[in-house]
Amino acid sequence: MDLTSLTIDAARSAVQERKTTALALAEAHYDRIQKEDGQIGAFLTLSKERALAQADRIDRMAAEGKPLPPLGGVPVGIKDVMSTRGVRTTAGSKILEKYIPPYDCTAVARMEAAGAVMLGKMNCDEFAMGSSNENSAYHPVRNPRDLSRVPGGSSGGSAAAVAADMAVVTLGSDTGGSIRQPASFCGVVGLMPTYGRVSRYGLIAFASSLDHIGPLTKTVKDAATVLRTIAGRDAMDSTSADVPVPDYVAELDKPVRGMKVGVAKEYFGEGLDDEVRQAVEAAIDKLRGLGCEIVPVSLSHTPYAIPTYYLIATAEASANLARYDGVRYTLRARGVKTLSEMYRRSRDEGFGAEVKRRIMLGTYALSAGYYDAYYLKAQKVRTLLTRDFDEAFRKVDAIVTPTSPTPAFRLGEKSNDPLAMYLADIYTVTADLAGIPGISVPCGETKDNLPIGLQILGRHFDESAILRLGHAYEQAA
Ligand code: GLN
Protein backbone atom coordinates (compact mmCIF):
# COMPACT_ATOMS: atom_id res chain seq x y z
CA MET A 1 0.00 0.00 0.00
CA ASP A 2 1.31 3.44 -0.97
CA LEU A 3 0.85 5.32 2.29
CA THR A 4 1.11 8.80 0.81
CA SER A 5 -1.60 8.68 -1.84
CA LEU A 6 -4.59 7.86 0.33
CA THR A 7 -7.86 9.71 0.79
CA ILE A 8 -9.28 10.29 4.28
CA ASP A 9 -11.47 7.18 4.28
CA ALA A 10 -8.72 4.96 2.88
CA ALA A 11 -6.21 6.20 5.47
CA ARG A 12 -8.62 5.94 8.37
CA SER A 13 -9.85 2.45 7.50
CA ALA A 14 -6.30 1.19 6.93
CA VAL A 15 -5.47 2.29 10.49
CA GLN A 16 -8.76 0.99 11.87
CA GLU A 17 -8.27 -2.42 10.25
CA ARG A 18 -4.64 -2.52 11.40
CA LYS A 19 -3.32 -2.74 7.82
CA THR A 20 -1.04 0.07 8.82
CA THR A 21 -0.65 2.39 11.79
CA ALA A 22 -1.13 6.10 12.27
CA LEU A 23 2.54 6.19 13.19
CA ALA A 24 3.57 4.58 9.88
CA LEU A 25 1.31 6.99 8.00
CA ALA A 26 2.86 10.00 9.72
CA GLU A 27 6.37 8.68 9.14
CA ALA A 28 5.70 7.97 5.46
CA HIS A 29 4.57 11.57 5.08
CA TYR A 30 7.59 12.93 6.94
CA ASP A 31 9.83 10.85 4.63
CA ARG A 32 8.11 12.34 1.64
CA ILE A 33 8.46 15.85 3.05
CA GLN A 34 12.14 15.16 3.62
CA LYS A 35 12.49 14.05 0.00
CA GLU A 36 10.29 16.58 -1.80
CA ASP A 37 9.92 19.68 0.27
CA GLY A 38 13.48 20.93 -0.19
CA GLN A 39 12.48 22.00 -3.68
CA ILE A 40 8.81 22.81 -3.06
CA GLY A 41 8.95 24.73 0.23
CA ALA A 42 5.42 24.01 1.44
CA PHE A 43 6.22 23.63 5.16
CA LEU A 44 7.49 26.36 7.51
CA THR A 45 7.56 24.30 10.71
CA LEU A 46 7.26 20.58 11.44
CA SER A 47 5.46 19.52 14.62
CA LYS A 48 6.77 15.97 14.90
CA GLU A 49 6.43 15.56 18.63
CA ARG A 50 2.79 16.57 18.58
CA ALA A 51 2.11 14.44 15.50
CA LEU A 52 3.69 11.30 16.93
CA ALA A 53 1.88 11.65 20.26
CA GLN A 54 -1.44 11.96 18.47
CA ALA A 55 -0.62 9.04 16.14
CA ASP A 56 0.17 6.92 19.18
CA ARG A 57 -3.15 7.82 20.77
CA ILE A 58 -4.98 6.78 17.57
CA ASP A 59 -3.01 3.56 17.28
CA ARG A 60 -3.94 2.63 20.83
CA MET A 61 -7.61 3.20 20.03
CA ALA A 62 -7.29 0.99 16.93
CA ALA A 63 -5.47 -1.71 18.90
CA GLU A 64 -8.27 -1.73 21.46
CA GLY A 65 -10.77 -2.13 18.62
CA LYS A 66 -12.44 1.21 19.34
CA PRO A 67 -14.08 2.88 16.34
CA LEU A 68 -11.82 5.70 15.11
CA PRO A 69 -13.21 9.21 14.71
CA PRO A 70 -13.70 10.53 11.14
CA LEU A 71 -10.10 11.75 10.69
CA GLY A 72 -8.49 9.00 12.81
CA GLY A 73 -4.79 8.85 11.92
CA VAL A 74 -5.07 11.19 8.91
CA PRO A 75 -1.91 13.31 8.38
CA VAL A 76 -2.80 16.99 7.91
CA GLY A 77 -1.08 20.35 7.51
CA ILE A 78 -2.26 23.68 8.90
CA LYS A 79 -1.73 27.05 7.20
CA ASP A 80 0.56 29.11 9.37
CA VAL A 81 -2.11 31.74 10.05
CA MET A 82 -3.86 29.40 12.50
CA SER A 83 -2.64 29.44 16.07
CA THR A 84 -1.28 26.18 17.40
CA ARG A 85 -0.49 25.82 21.04
CA GLY A 86 3.22 25.40 21.62
CA VAL A 87 3.96 25.31 17.88
CA ARG A 88 5.44 28.40 16.23
CA THR A 89 2.88 30.35 14.21
CA THR A 90 4.37 33.00 11.92
CA ALA A 91 1.62 34.04 9.47
CA GLY A 92 4.47 33.98 6.95
CA SER A 93 5.82 37.15 8.57
CA LYS A 94 9.10 38.12 10.18
CA ILE A 95 7.21 40.05 12.82
CA LEU A 96 5.86 36.75 14.23
CA GLU A 97 9.02 34.73 13.64
CA LYS A 98 9.24 33.64 17.27
CA TYR A 99 5.56 33.67 18.18
CA ILE A 100 4.44 30.55 20.04
CA PRO A 101 0.70 30.73 20.71
CA PRO A 102 -0.61 29.69 24.12
CA TYR A 103 -3.81 28.24 22.63
CA ASP A 104 -5.20 26.35 19.61
CA CYS A 105 -7.36 27.69 16.82
CA THR A 106 -10.82 26.09 17.12
CA ALA A 107 -10.64 24.57 13.61
CA VAL A 108 -7.33 22.91 14.49
CA ALA A 109 -8.66 21.67 17.83
CA ARG A 110 -11.69 20.17 16.08
CA MET A 111 -9.49 18.45 13.49
CA GLU A 112 -7.37 16.90 16.22
CA ALA A 113 -10.39 15.94 18.29
CA ALA A 114 -11.55 14.09 15.16
CA GLY A 115 -8.27 12.17 15.10
CA ALA A 116 -6.17 14.20 12.64
CA VAL A 117 -2.39 14.08 13.00
CA MET A 118 -0.87 17.55 12.50
CA LEU A 119 2.41 17.21 10.60
CA GLY A 120 3.27 20.90 10.63
CA LYS A 121 2.52 24.42 9.55
CA MET A 122 2.16 25.50 5.95
CA ASN A 123 3.94 28.31 4.17
CA CYS A 124 1.78 31.21 2.95
CA ASP A 125 1.89 34.81 1.81
CA GLU A 126 2.64 37.17 4.69
CA PHE A 127 -0.60 37.65 6.69
CA ALA A 128 -2.35 35.85 3.79
CA MET A 129 -1.84 38.86 1.51
CA GLY A 130 -1.04 37.63 -1.97
CA SER A 131 -1.93 35.33 -4.83
CA SER A 132 1.37 33.56 -5.47
CA ASN A 133 2.99 32.75 -2.12
CA GLU A 134 5.90 34.99 -3.17
CA ASN A 135 5.07 37.34 -0.28
CA SER A 136 6.15 34.81 2.35
CA ALA A 137 8.91 36.35 4.48
CA TYR A 138 10.63 32.94 4.57
CA HIS A 139 10.74 31.43 1.09
CA PRO A 140 8.41 31.05 -1.87
CA VAL A 141 6.53 27.82 -2.56
CA ARG A 142 6.93 26.16 -5.96
CA ASN A 143 4.15 24.47 -7.86
CA PRO A 144 4.71 20.68 -7.71
CA ARG A 145 3.50 20.39 -11.33
CA ASP A 146 6.12 22.80 -12.62
CA LEU A 147 8.76 24.12 -10.27
CA SER A 148 9.22 27.30 -12.31
CA ARG A 149 5.64 28.30 -11.49
CA VAL A 150 3.83 29.60 -8.43
CA PRO A 151 1.39 27.39 -6.50
CA GLY A 152 -1.03 30.32 -6.13
CA GLY A 153 -1.73 32.02 -2.84
CA SER A 154 -2.07 32.87 -0.23
CA SER A 155 -2.55 29.23 0.89
CA GLY A 156 0.23 28.13 -1.48
CA GLY A 157 1.93 25.73 0.92
CA SER A 158 -1.42 24.14 1.82
CA ALA A 159 -2.24 23.48 -1.85
CA ALA A 160 1.24 22.32 -2.87
CA ALA A 161 1.49 19.87 0.05
CA VAL A 162 -1.73 18.09 -0.90
CA ALA A 163 -0.78 18.09 -4.60
CA ALA A 164 2.64 16.58 -3.80
CA ASP A 165 1.23 13.95 -1.40
CA MET A 166 2.99 15.50 1.60
CA ALA A 167 -0.34 15.67 3.48
CA VAL A 168 -3.74 14.06 2.93
CA VAL A 169 -5.55 17.27 3.84
CA THR A 170 -4.60 20.80 4.77
CA LEU A 171 -6.48 23.77 6.16
CA GLY A 172 -6.20 27.10 4.40
CA SER A 173 -7.83 30.49 4.72
CA ASP A 174 -9.70 32.48 2.10
CA THR A 175 -10.24 36.24 2.23
CA GLY A 176 -10.32 36.94 -1.50
CA GLY A 177 -9.64 33.53 -3.04
CA SER A 178 -6.75 32.11 -1.06
CA ILE A 179 -8.14 28.58 -0.80
CA ARG A 180 -9.78 28.24 -4.23
CA GLN A 181 -7.11 29.87 -6.41
CA PRO A 182 -4.11 27.84 -5.12
CA ALA A 183 -6.30 24.70 -5.27
CA SER A 184 -6.93 25.42 -8.95
CA PHE A 185 -3.24 26.15 -9.66
CA CYS A 186 -2.09 22.92 -8.00
CA GLY A 187 -4.87 20.60 -9.20
CA VAL A 188 -6.57 19.88 -5.86
CA VAL A 189 -9.98 20.59 -4.33
CA GLY A 190 -10.39 23.78 -2.27
CA LEU A 191 -13.53 24.67 -0.34
CA MET A 192 -14.43 28.06 1.11
CA PRO A 193 -17.46 27.63 3.39
CA THR A 194 -20.13 30.28 3.96
CA TYR A 195 -19.04 33.26 6.07
CA GLY A 196 -19.76 32.24 9.67
CA ARG A 197 -19.89 28.50 8.99
CA VAL A 198 -16.47 27.81 10.52
CA SER A 199 -15.16 29.50 13.67
CA ARG A 200 -12.20 31.86 13.17
CA TYR A 201 -11.14 31.73 16.82
CA GLY A 202 -7.36 31.50 16.67
CA LEU A 203 -7.11 32.59 13.04
CA ILE A 204 -4.67 35.49 12.67
CA ALA A 205 -6.95 38.20 11.30
CA PHE A 206 -6.37 39.79 7.91
CA ALA A 207 -9.79 41.28 7.01
CA SER A 208 -12.36 40.18 9.54
CA SER A 209 -15.50 40.62 7.41
CA LEU A 210 -13.94 38.46 4.69
CA ASP A 211 -11.77 35.82 6.41
CA HIS A 212 -12.79 32.14 6.15
CA ILE A 213 -11.15 28.84 7.09
CA GLY A 214 -11.60 25.80 4.83
CA PRO A 215 -10.00 22.57 3.59
CA LEU A 216 -7.76 21.69 0.64
CA THR A 217 -8.10 18.03 -0.28
CA LYS A 218 -7.61 15.40 -2.96
CA THR A 219 -11.33 14.73 -3.42
CA VAL A 220 -14.64 16.51 -2.94
CA LYS A 221 -15.71 13.82 -0.49
CA ASP A 222 -12.67 14.60 1.68
CA ALA A 223 -13.65 18.27 1.64
CA ALA A 224 -17.14 17.28 2.83
CA THR A 225 -15.66 15.19 5.65
CA VAL A 226 -13.41 18.02 6.85
CA LEU A 227 -16.14 20.63 6.65
CA ARG A 228 -18.42 18.42 8.76
CA THR A 229 -15.61 18.26 11.33
CA ILE A 230 -14.79 21.96 11.61
CA ALA A 231 -18.19 23.60 10.96
CA GLY A 232 -20.66 24.88 13.53
CA ARG A 233 -21.13 27.44 16.25
CA ASP A 234 -18.22 28.15 18.59
CA ALA A 235 -18.76 30.18 21.73
CA MET A 236 -15.26 31.63 21.29
CA ASP A 237 -16.18 33.34 17.99
CA SER A 238 -19.26 35.56 18.07
CA THR A 239 -19.29 35.67 14.25
CA SER A 240 -19.69 31.89 13.97
CA ALA A 241 -23.25 31.09 12.98
CA ASP A 242 -25.68 29.03 14.98
CA VAL A 243 -26.97 27.16 11.94
CA PRO A 244 -27.36 23.35 11.95
CA VAL A 245 -24.53 21.52 10.18
CA PRO A 246 -25.82 18.92 7.74
CA ASP A 247 -24.12 15.58 7.15
CA TYR A 248 -22.33 16.77 4.00
CA VAL A 249 -20.96 13.32 3.22
CA ALA A 250 -24.37 11.65 3.33
CA GLU A 251 -25.76 14.34 1.03
CA LEU A 252 -23.06 13.91 -1.63
CA ASP A 253 -24.87 11.18 -3.51
CA LYS A 254 -28.22 12.91 -3.82
CA PRO A 255 -28.97 13.26 -7.54
CA VAL A 256 -27.90 16.40 -9.41
CA ARG A 257 -30.37 15.78 -12.22
CA GLY A 258 -32.72 18.72 -12.46
CA MET A 259 -30.45 21.08 -10.53
CA LYS A 260 -30.34 24.56 -12.03
CA VAL A 261 -26.81 25.76 -12.67
CA GLY A 262 -26.16 29.40 -13.53
CA VAL A 263 -23.53 30.71 -15.93
CA ALA A 264 -22.73 34.43 -15.85
CA LYS A 265 -21.25 36.07 -18.95
CA GLU A 266 -19.34 38.50 -16.70
CA TYR A 267 -17.05 35.59 -15.76
CA PHE A 268 -16.14 34.71 -19.34
CA GLY A 269 -14.96 38.06 -20.65
CA GLU A 270 -11.70 39.80 -21.39
CA GLY A 271 -8.55 38.40 -19.82
CA LEU A 272 -9.77 34.81 -19.65
CA ASP A 273 -7.16 32.38 -20.99
CA ASP A 274 -8.43 30.33 -23.96
CA GLU A 275 -7.51 26.96 -22.55
CA VAL A 276 -9.18 27.79 -19.23
CA ARG A 277 -12.31 28.91 -21.09
CA GLN A 278 -12.43 25.69 -23.09
CA ALA A 279 -11.94 23.48 -20.04
CA VAL A 280 -14.66 25.27 -18.08
CA GLU A 281 -17.05 25.17 -21.03
CA ALA A 282 -16.41 21.44 -21.38
CA ALA A 283 -17.15 21.04 -17.66
CA ILE A 284 -20.42 22.91 -18.10
CA ASP A 285 -21.33 20.52 -20.92
CA LYS A 286 -20.56 17.62 -18.65
CA LEU A 287 -22.93 19.02 -15.99
CA ARG A 288 -25.58 19.40 -18.68
CA GLY A 289 -24.96 15.76 -19.59
CA LEU A 290 -25.59 14.82 -15.95
CA GLY A 291 -29.05 16.34 -16.24
CA CYS A 292 -28.40 19.82 -14.85
CA GLU A 293 -30.26 22.66 -16.44
CA ILE A 294 -27.83 25.41 -17.51
CA VAL A 295 -29.34 28.87 -17.00
CA PRO A 296 -27.80 32.22 -17.98
CA VAL A 297 -27.60 34.63 -15.03
CA SER A 298 -26.33 38.18 -14.72
CA LEU A 299 -23.88 39.42 -12.09
CA SER A 300 -23.65 42.91 -13.47
CA HIS A 301 -21.60 44.57 -10.72
CA THR A 302 -18.69 42.13 -11.17
CA PRO A 303 -16.45 44.76 -12.86
CA TYR A 304 -16.38 46.68 -9.54
CA ALA A 305 -15.41 43.69 -7.41
CA ILE A 306 -11.63 44.14 -7.45
CA PRO A 307 -11.53 47.81 -6.36
CA THR A 308 -14.24 47.08 -3.76
CA TYR A 309 -12.30 44.16 -2.34
CA TYR A 310 -8.97 46.00 -2.24
CA LEU A 311 -10.56 48.91 -0.34
CA ILE A 312 -12.40 46.82 2.25
CA ALA A 313 -9.64 44.23 2.72
CA THR A 314 -6.91 46.86 3.14
CA ALA A 315 -9.03 49.02 5.47
CA GLU A 316 -9.69 46.05 7.75
CA ALA A 317 -6.07 44.93 7.52
CA SER A 318 -4.82 48.34 8.61
CA ALA A 319 -6.94 48.06 11.74
CA ASN A 320 -6.13 44.40 12.45
CA LEU A 321 -2.39 44.78 12.01
CA ALA A 322 -2.15 47.75 14.37
CA ARG A 323 -1.68 45.22 17.19
CA TYR A 324 1.83 44.32 15.99
CA ASP A 325 3.58 47.17 17.71
CA GLY A 326 6.73 45.62 19.12
CA VAL A 327 5.27 45.65 22.63
CA ARG A 328 3.67 42.22 22.45
CA TYR A 329 4.10 39.33 19.98
CA THR A 330 7.86 39.08 19.62
CA LEU A 331 9.80 41.16 17.13
CA ARG A 332 11.03 44.42 18.70
CA ALA A 333 13.62 46.67 17.09
CA ARG A 334 16.88 47.03 19.04
CA GLY A 335 18.82 50.16 19.84
CA VAL A 336 15.88 52.55 19.80
CA LYS A 337 15.67 55.66 21.98
CA THR A 338 11.99 56.50 22.21
CA LEU A 339 8.70 54.62 22.31
CA SER A 340 7.53 55.97 18.97
CA GLU A 341 10.84 55.06 17.38
CA MET A 342 10.38 51.54 18.79
CA TYR A 343 6.92 51.27 17.17
CA ARG A 344 8.16 52.60 13.85
CA ARG A 345 11.33 50.56 13.64
CA SER A 346 9.71 47.32 14.82
CA ARG A 347 7.00 47.60 12.18
CA ASP A 348 9.49 48.66 9.55
CA GLU A 349 11.75 45.69 10.25
CA GLY A 350 8.95 43.19 10.85
CA PHE A 351 6.57 43.78 7.93
CA GLY A 352 7.29 43.03 4.25
CA ALA A 353 6.61 45.34 1.31
CA GLU A 354 3.14 44.05 0.40
CA VAL A 355 1.91 44.24 3.99
CA LYS A 356 3.18 47.82 4.29
CA ARG A 357 1.50 48.73 1.00
CA ARG A 358 -1.81 47.39 2.28
CA ILE A 359 -1.57 49.08 5.66
CA MET A 360 -0.94 52.39 3.90
CA LEU A 361 -3.75 51.92 1.38
CA GLY A 362 -6.18 50.89 4.10
CA THR A 363 -5.23 53.67 6.48
CA TYR A 364 -5.69 56.17 3.66
CA ALA A 365 -9.10 54.74 2.74
CA LEU A 366 -10.26 55.12 6.35
CA SER A 367 -8.84 58.57 6.98
CA ALA A 368 -11.02 61.60 7.72
CA GLY A 369 -12.17 63.23 4.51
CA TYR A 370 -11.67 60.08 2.44
CA TYR A 371 -13.78 57.62 4.41
CA ASP A 372 -17.02 58.45 2.57
CA ALA A 373 -15.39 58.49 -0.84
CA TYR A 374 -13.63 55.15 -0.43
CA TYR A 375 -14.56 52.88 2.44
CA LEU A 376 -18.23 53.80 2.66
CA LYS A 377 -18.63 53.66 -1.10
CA ALA A 378 -16.96 50.26 -1.21
CA GLN A 379 -19.43 49.00 1.40
CA LYS A 380 -22.31 50.17 -0.79
CA VAL A 381 -20.91 48.41 -3.83
CA ARG A 382 -20.44 45.31 -1.69
CA THR A 383 -24.20 45.36 -1.06
CA LEU A 384 -24.86 45.63 -4.80
CA LEU A 385 -22.56 42.67 -5.51
CA THR A 386 -24.36 40.65 -2.83
CA ARG A 387 -27.73 41.55 -4.34
CA ASP A 388 -26.55 40.32 -7.74
CA PHE A 389 -26.02 36.91 -6.16
CA ASP A 390 -29.32 37.02 -4.21
CA GLU A 391 -31.10 37.74 -7.48
CA ALA A 392 -29.28 34.98 -9.35
CA PHE A 393 -29.91 32.41 -6.61
CA ARG A 394 -33.64 33.01 -6.95
CA LYS A 395 -33.29 31.31 -10.34
CA VAL A 396 -30.49 28.79 -9.84
CA ASP A 397 -29.10 26.40 -7.21
CA ALA A 398 -25.43 27.07 -8.02
CA ILE A 399 -23.25 29.15 -10.34
CA VAL A 400 -20.21 27.84 -12.20
CA THR A 401 -17.24 29.94 -13.30
CA PRO A 402 -13.52 29.54 -13.89
CA THR A 403 -11.67 29.75 -10.54
CA SER A 404 -8.88 31.86 -11.99
CA PRO A 405 -8.55 33.57 -15.38
CA THR A 406 -5.20 31.85 -16.06
CA PRO A 407 -3.34 28.72 -15.01
CA ALA A 408 -0.34 29.02 -12.66
CA PHE A 409 2.02 31.80 -13.74
CA ARG A 410 5.79 31.84 -13.40
CA LEU A 411 7.63 32.93 -10.26
CA GLY A 412 8.52 36.58 -10.67
CA GLU A 413 6.07 37.10 -13.52
CA LYS A 414 3.76 39.43 -11.61
CA SER A 415 5.67 40.18 -8.45
CA ASN A 416 6.72 43.66 -9.56
CA ASP A 417 3.24 44.61 -10.69
CA PRO A 418 0.83 44.60 -7.73
CA LEU A 419 -2.12 45.63 -9.89
CA ALA A 420 -1.67 42.69 -12.29
CA MET A 421 -1.51 40.42 -9.23
CA TYR A 422 -4.71 41.94 -7.79
CA LEU A 423 -6.56 41.52 -11.11
CA ALA A 424 -5.92 37.77 -11.00
CA ASP A 425 -8.44 37.57 -8.11
CA ILE A 426 -11.32 38.70 -10.31
CA TYR A 427 -13.40 35.49 -10.11
CA THR A 428 -12.82 34.69 -6.46
CA VAL A 429 -13.23 37.94 -4.48
CA THR A 430 -16.96 38.22 -5.23
CA ALA A 431 -17.89 35.19 -3.12
CA ASP A 432 -15.90 36.53 -0.15
CA LEU A 433 -17.61 39.92 -0.48
CA ALA A 434 -21.06 38.27 -0.64
CA GLY A 435 -20.31 35.73 2.11
CA ILE A 436 -21.41 32.79 -0.06
CA PRO A 437 -19.60 29.42 -0.25
CA GLY A 438 -17.44 28.34 -3.19
CA ILE A 439 -15.44 25.31 -4.19
CA SER A 440 -12.73 24.80 -6.79
CA VAL A 441 -12.62 21.37 -8.42
CA PRO A 442 -9.96 20.29 -10.95
CA CYS A 443 -11.38 20.34 -14.49
CA GLY A 444 -8.55 19.41 -16.80
CA GLU A 445 -5.15 20.67 -17.80
CA THR A 446 -3.52 22.93 -20.32
CA LYS A 447 -1.23 21.64 -23.10
CA ASP A 448 1.64 22.26 -20.66
CA ASN A 449 0.04 20.00 -18.00
CA LEU A 450 -1.01 22.89 -15.79
CA PRO A 451 -4.16 22.23 -13.77
CA ILE A 452 -7.36 24.22 -14.38
CA GLY A 453 -10.05 24.78 -11.75
CA LEU A 454 -13.83 24.90 -12.03
CA GLN A 455 -15.42 27.14 -9.40
CA ILE A 456 -18.90 26.34 -8.09
CA LEU A 457 -20.64 28.99 -5.98
CA GLY A 458 -23.70 28.37 -3.81
CA ARG A 459 -26.32 30.00 -1.63
CA HIS A 460 -25.52 31.05 1.93
CA PHE A 461 -25.14 27.93 4.10
CA ASP A 462 -25.82 25.62 1.14
CA GLU A 463 -22.40 23.99 0.92
CA SER A 464 -24.30 20.73 0.33
CA ALA A 465 -25.35 21.83 -3.16
CA ILE A 466 -21.87 22.79 -4.33
CA LEU A 467 -20.28 19.71 -2.78
CA ARG A 468 -22.86 17.51 -4.46
CA LEU A 469 -22.30 19.13 -7.87
CA GLY A 470 -18.54 19.04 -7.44
CA HIS A 471 -18.68 15.37 -6.45
CA ALA A 472 -20.92 14.45 -9.40
CA TYR A 473 -18.61 16.31 -11.78
CA GLU A 474 -15.51 14.70 -10.27
CA GLN A 475 -17.01 11.21 -10.63
CA ALA A 476 -18.05 11.86 -14.23
CA ALA A 477 -14.80 13.50 -15.32
N1 GLN B 1 -5.09 37.35 -3.32
C1 GLN B 1 -5.97 38.07 -2.45
C2 GLN B 1 -5.19 39.12 -1.69
O1 GLN B 1 -4.06 39.24 -1.94
C3 GLN B 1 -6.68 37.13 -1.53
C4 GLN B 1 -5.88 36.74 -0.36
C5 GLN B 1 -6.65 35.85 0.57
O2 GLN B 1 -7.70 35.31 0.23
N2 GLN B 1 -6.15 35.72 1.79
O3 GLN B 1 -5.71 39.78 -0.85
Side-chain angles (χ1 to χ4, degrees):
M1 184 170 27
D2 177 1
L3 294 183
T4 57
S5 61
L6 304 174
T7 59
I8 291 177
D9 282 349
R12 178 185 165 278
S13 29
V15 176
Q16 180 81 74
E17 291 155 18
R18 309 290 285 152
K19 294 191 180 119
T20 184
T21 61
L23 201 64
L25 269 178
E27 267 159 5
H29 283 81
Y30 279 127
D31 285 348
R32 189 149 175 97
I33 293 166
Q34 174 80 28
K35 242 185 32 229
E36 301 289 331
D37 207 36
Q39 45 177 3
I40 295 176
F43 282 83
L44 287 178
T45 305
L46 297 179
S47 46
K48 265 196 176 154
E49 211 178 300
R50 179 159 164 170
L52 300 185
Q54 169 82 339
D56 185 54
R57 189 177 79 87
I58 298 298
D59 283 334
R60 272 187 279 126
M61 283 181 80
E64 288 162 20
K66 292 194 185 136
L68 296 183
L71 299 178
V74 176
V76 308
I78 304 294
K79 184 178 181 182
D80 212 18
V81 289
M82 282 166 245
S83 296
T84 42
R85 185 181 174 155
V87 177
R88 180 175 87 129
T89 301
T90 68
S93 181
K94 267 250 158 349
I95 211 159
L96 291 176
E97 190 169 14
K98 300 200 176 107
Y99 176 53
I100 300 193
Y103 67 102
D104 276 325
C105 177
T106 296
V108 175
R110 288 186 180 178
M111 294 282 282
E112 286 188 327
V117 173
M118 182 178 85
L119 301 171
K121 306 294 296 286
M122 313 314 301
N123 201 348
C124 57
D125 285 301
E126 186 174 1
F127 287 102
M129 296 174 188
S131 310
S132 68
N133 217 117
E134 291 164 296
N135 296 337
S136 165
Y138 298 92
H139 47 81
V141 178
R142 290 173 184 273
N143 193 316
R145 271 309 168 91
D146 175 347
L147 296 175
S148 72
R149 295 183 187 263
V150 303
S154 62
S155 311
S158 298
V162 174
D165 288 336
M166 296 188 287
V168 175
V169 169
T170 53
L171 289 184
S173 68
D174 195 311
T175 304
S178 280
I179 290 174
R180 293 159 289 154
Q181 183 256 20
S184 84
F185 279 15
C186 291
V188 301
V189 174
L191 171 66
M192 175 181 74
T194 308
Y195 185 79
R197 182 58 105 180
V198 175
S199 165
R200 284 104 42 90
Y201 179 68
L203 173 69
I204 293 176
F206 162 10
S208 306
S209 78
L210 297 160
D211 293 340
H212 307 71
I213 291 175
L216 293 102
T217 57
K218 294 177 188 180
T219 64
V220 174
K221 186 176 183 195
D222 280 0
T225 304
V226 176
L227 182 61
R228 174 108 176 102
T229 304
I230 61 177
R233 170 78 186 157
D234 171 19
M236 300 303 282
D237 175 2
S238 63
T239 65
S240 68
D242 200 0
V243 174
V245 178
D247 184 346
Y248 299 111
V249 178
E251 297 201 349
L252 279 183
D253 289 318
K254 282 196 189 161
V256 297
R257 178 165 294 281
M259 276 180 89
K260 294 202 170 74
V261 175
V263 176
K265 62 176 181 318
E266 290 85 355
Y267 283 68
F268 291 85
E270 206 191 322
L272 177 59
D273 176 274
D274 269 340
E275 289 183 278
V276 175
R277 177 198 304 275
Q278 282 161 21
V280 172
E281 282 172 353
I284 292 170
D285 280 340
K286 190 136 257 164
L287 290 173
R288 192 183 281 114
L290 292 170
C292 298
E293 186 187 334
I294 308 299
V295 181
V297 293
S298 166
L299 299 166
S300 61
H301 293 92
T302 305
Y304 307 107
I306 291 283
T308 303
Y309 169 80
Y310 277 95
L311 280 166
I312 294 174
T314 56
E316 294 183 11
S318 81
N320 274 326
L321 271 58
R323 76 191 66 178
Y324 306 105
D325 54 7
V327 176
R328 296 158 296 169
Y329 312 111
T330 71
L331 193 128
R332 178 180 304 171
R334 292 180 185 281
V336 292
K337 296 204 175 60
T338 64
L339 180 63
S340 67
E341 193 191 352
M342 192 279 286
Y343 290 149
R344 267 186 285 115
R345 290 256 319 274
S346 300
R347 289 168 70 80
D348 186 34
E349 288 167 24
F351 289 139
E354 181 62 26
V355 174
K356 286 176 184 163
R357 178 180 299 125
R358 301 218 185 180
I359 291 173
M360 287 190 282
L361 284 170
T363 306
Y364 184 78
L366 289 174
S367 58
Y370 293 105
Y371 181 91
D372 289 355
Y374 295 116
Y375 185 71
L376 199 64
K377 191 157 204 178
Q379 291 291 21
K380 290 178 180 169
V381 182
R382 182 177 192 173
T383 302
L384 296 174
L385 282 156
T386 308
R387 278 192 203 150
D388 278 355
F389 280 113
D390 290 346
E391 198 64 42
F393 283 124
R394 270 200 266 279
K395 291 197 283 186
V396 296
D397 304 302
I399 295 172
V400 294
T401 81
T403 304
S404 167
T406 66
F409 43 90
R410 289 183 195 284
L411 269 94
E413 192 176 321
K414 294 186 204 274
S415 45
N416 293 322
D417 186 352
L419 207 55
M421 194 75 93
Y422 296 174
L423 287 172
D425 299 334
I426 176 78
Y427 301 142
T428 48
V429 295
T430 48
D432 298 85
L433 288 164
I436 58 172
I439 189 169
S440 180
V441 181
C443 75
E445 290 172 0
T446 67
K447 294 191 295 296
D448 300 332
N449 299 318
L450 299 175
I452 299 171
L454 172 74
Q455 175 174 242
I456 311 173
L457 304 173
R459 296 186 181 106
H460 287 113
F461 294 103
D462 195 9
E463 291 86 359
S464 286
I466 62 175
L467 286 164
R468 180 148 48 107
L469 268 177
H471 179 69
Y473 172 75
E474 184 187 62
Q475 299 302 305

